[in-house]
Amino acid sequence: MNRPLRYCLSLVSSLLPLAAAAQLKSIPQEFAASTVVLTNGDTIRGSLVLHNDLDLLLVTMADGTVRTVPALAVRTFAVSGEVMRFDRLPPQYYNYVSTPPRMRRRWAQVQRARPFLVYPWDHDHDYATSTAPAFFERLNGGPVILLRRQRLVSRAMPWSDPSWVSGYTTRPVGMPTYYTDVRELLYLGTPQGSIVALRRPKRDVLAYFPAEAEQLEQFARQHNLDFNEGAHLARIVDYANSLRQMTASTQ
């Protein structure tokens, strides 16, 4: 085989994994239990699969039947017992000398209850002329609500990077090729029923609460809160709500 041809084949081989990764779709989230309140007033319960990319629920009922429910038909729902796959953890959780106990269990359930709401969404297109119902996880109380959308996607393991595998340039035997990465988008749900995208959370939250901005920054510093962390930002937004309510009660 001549040298140019060998080089071309090598280049194609190196690009194939990248092409495959680009075609990977979002991974649905699975929950052991759910309560779904529909717009027609009915309530259904069962294990649930959330397809965030489609804003679609698959609910397995007690009799084993699976009900497909789009966001258009949902008023609100709550889930618990998220099924997590520990063989899909990011590379930094792997230990090549001894496998930690959490890696020996293929599945585990995170029991924390999580409420979801439905809002009209333009998919973050600035010049969109229409919206569609979409699912958002509720992270705080209100009346201004911190909302979150999560997207699980597969990412290739960087086994070829020596910083991950001490001196090795190939994937260790038995280790997976891909891991699950969680992408997170944050929003504010307004009392009027619209949403505000937090592309730069600190800037956008302070802009939404201009009268309370200085106090919010001071509150964040005092409590070591990060505007980019969902749990931290939920506390900040709750504090902003309390400040607005105090101001309203004195007027």
Side-chain angles (χ1 to χ4, degrees):
M1 184 182 297
N2 60 45
R3 191 171 182 177
L5 180 57
R6 186 165 56 246
Y7 172 78
C8 290
L9 290 176
S10 175
L11 181 61
V12 170
S13 298
S14 66
L15 292 177
L16 283 176
L18 298 177
Q23 295 174 0
L24 291 174
K25 296 181 180 180
S26 296
I27 300 171
Q29 292 174 273
E30 302 176 44
F31 300 90
S34 72
T35 300
V36 182
V37 180
L38 304 178
T39 54
N40 64 6
D42 291 346
T43 298
I44 59 177
R45 295 179 175 84
S47 60
L48 180 146
V49 177
L50 167 59
H51 289 268
N52 243 325
D53 55 332
L54 301 174
D55 287 296
L56 186 72
L57 306 178
L58 299 180
V59 183
T60 301
M61 314 291 283
D63 60 2
T65 59
V66 178
R67 185 162 177 179
T68 302
V69 189
L72 182 64
V74 177
R75 180 177 300 166
T76 182
F77 70 96
V79 295
S80 63
E82 183 175 7
V83 179
M84 305 292 291
R85 288 196 58 167
F86 288 113
D87 59 348
R88 289 180 177 172
L89 288 174
Q92 58 265 35
Y93 291 98
Y94 285 83
N95 184 327
Y96 304 109
V97 178
S98 61
T99 304
R102 66 175 179 271
M103 295 299 299
R104 299 190 191 111
R105 294 179 299 166
R106 186 175 180 84
W107 299 86
Q109 290 181 3
V110 180
Q111 295 299 331
R112 180 174 62 88
R114 299 166 60 180
F116 286 76
L117 301 172
V118 178
Y119 282 82
W121 187 37
D122 61 5
H123 291 262
D124 294 336
H125 297 153
D126 292 333
Y127 302 103
T129 58
S130 62
T131 60
F135 297 130
F136 295 84
E137 183 179 358
R138 180 175 191 156
L139 299 183
N140 74 323
V144 178
I145 303 170
L146 182 63
L147 303 169
R148 175 172 70 182
R149 280 184 66 91
Q150 288 184 328
R151 183 168 181 251
L152 277 59
V153 295
S154 288
R155 293 176 62 88
M157 287 287 192
W159 298 125
S160 59
D161 186 344
S163 65
W164 290 111
V165 188
S166 305
Y168 291 97
T169 57
T170 58
R171 178 170 64 95
V173 175
M175 289 297 181
T177 305
Y178 297 94
Y179 70 95
T180 300
D181 184 27
V182 180
R183 304 290 179 85
E184 184 173 274
L185 300 174
L186 296 172
Y187 303 82
L188 292 179
T190 72
Q192 294 75 33
S194 61
I195 62 172
V196 176
L198 303 180
R199 293 185 172 93
R200 294 173 59 184
K202 182 175 181 179
R203 179 201 66 182
D204 296 338
V205 166
L206 296 181
Y208 186 84
F209 294 100
E212 299 82 11
E214 184 176 345
Q215 292 169 281
L216 294 182
E217 288 192 276
Q218 183 179 1
F219 178 77
R221 285 195 300 269
Q222 288 177 344
H223 298 277
N224 296 316
L225 301 177
D226 185 345
F227 279 81
N228 295 305
E229 292 287 337
H232 292 195
L233 190 56
R235 291 183 58 188
I236 295 171
V237 174
D238 272 337
Y239 182 59
N241 283 323
S242 68
L243 291 175
R244 278 198 171 179
Q245 290 169 352
M246 289 174 57
T247 301
S249 65
T250 58
Q251 292 177 348

